[in-house]
Amino acid sequence: MAVTGEINTVIAMDATLRVAMRWLWDVVKRATVSVFDVLSADAGLRPALVVYSETARRLDPDLLPELKYDVIYAVNVHHALELATEALTDIPGSKRILFVADSEPTAYRLPDGELHYASPPDRATADATLDAARVCGRLQIRVDFLLPTTQSELRATASSLAAVTGGTVGILLPSGAPFTDECQEFMEHPDDKVRAFLASIALV
């Protein structure tokens, strides 16, 4: 699955109930839509989209505006990494996975395809998720994260996953609060913040 432009990219979006419970679903969704808009307008890129909760799935980016979060507690970053990596397999050139996400991983797929779920997250989930990121690193796939707030559950894990691939972590709302003037401004005009982050990771 190639995209136009020189960089082959997959956007992985957190569509879990945990995002909604933290009142951040609208921020994550708006940021994801903005990522596609900015990449299309500024870089001529048409990324693939992976949406995940208990499991990950490919989704047509044109369906993003109607997308609802999944009423499921499990958060399977591991499967999102696997599916995004699979989408980039055998494609030449620079490869990127960009997560727009907030929730700490609580699940991963076992070798037999069954789901392992633990909340709070256990060591097995953390190790499996990090191993999936290491596969990205070996395949020279860079993994970056765009988090909604400084208080994101995913912040520490995102730093570890990004580090093993040469990626980085960005924050949209430094105040950390979903109900602030800063958040309202972002919701009305998201492209400036998103564009600045994408420029910092050389996607635009």
Side-chain angles (χ1 to χ4, degrees):
M1 174 191 55
V3 297
T4 57
E6 296 180 354
I7 303 174
N8 299 289
T9 309
V10 177
I11 310 302
M13 179 184 174
D14 183 346
T16 64
L17 181 61
R18 294 183 72 90
V19 173
M21 291 173 65
R22 287 164 55 80
W23 302 101
L24 290 168
W25 168 249
D26 289 339
V27 176
V28 168
K29 182 176 174 179
R30 190 74 182 92
T32 305
V33 171
S34 180
V35 165
F36 277 91
D37 289 346
V38 171
L39 287 178
S40 175
D42 292 15
L45 293 176
R46 173 69 172 177
L49 176 63
V50 168
V51 174
Y52 68 94
S53 56
E54 181 178 81
T55 59
R57 62 191 185 276
R58 292 270 296 279
L59 185 73
D60 184 337
D62 291 339
L63 299 178
L64 259 176
E66 290 77 40
L67 181 67
K68 308 294 184 183
Y69 59 84
D70 296 333
V71 187
I72 298 173
Y73 284 100
V75 182
N76 198 337
V77 175
H78 172 264
H79 192 207
L81 283 165
E82 285 190 328
L83 200 59
T85 300
E86 178 184 307
L88 293 167
T89 299
D90 299 327
I91 295 176
S94 177
K95 302 179 217 182
R96 302 287 194 90
I97 301 170
L98 171 58
F99 277 80
V100 185
D102 178 69
S103 308
E104 182 73 2
T106 58
Y108 71 98
R109 289 203 315 166
L110 298 168
D112 62 4
E114 292 297 313
L115 184 76
H116 172 91
Y117 171 71
S119 183
D122 61 8
R123 182 61 181 268
T125 301
D127 287 348
T129 305
L130 187 59
D131 284 345
R134 289 192 178 109
V135 170
C136 292
R138 289 196 293 272
L139 295 174
Q140 298 184 328
I141 300 172
R142 172 172 167 162
V143 182
D144 297 290
F145 287 83
L146 183 56
L147 309 181
T149 78
T150 54
Q151 298 173 9
S152 169
E153 294 180 341
L154 186 60
R155 190 169 183 181
T157 298
S159 296
S160 298
L161 299 177
V164 299
T165 71
T168 190
V169 178
I171 305 290
L172 283 171
L173 304 174
S175 67
F179 301 111
T180 60
D181 290 343
E182 178 190 38
C183 182
Q184 183 60 36
E185 181 181 354
F186 170 76
M187 292 297 292
E188 294 175 358
H189 306 285
D191 289 359
D192 289 345
K193 280 185 175 289
V194 167
R195 182 175 285 108
F197 175 71
L198 295 176
S200 75
I201 61 173
L203 272 178
V204 296

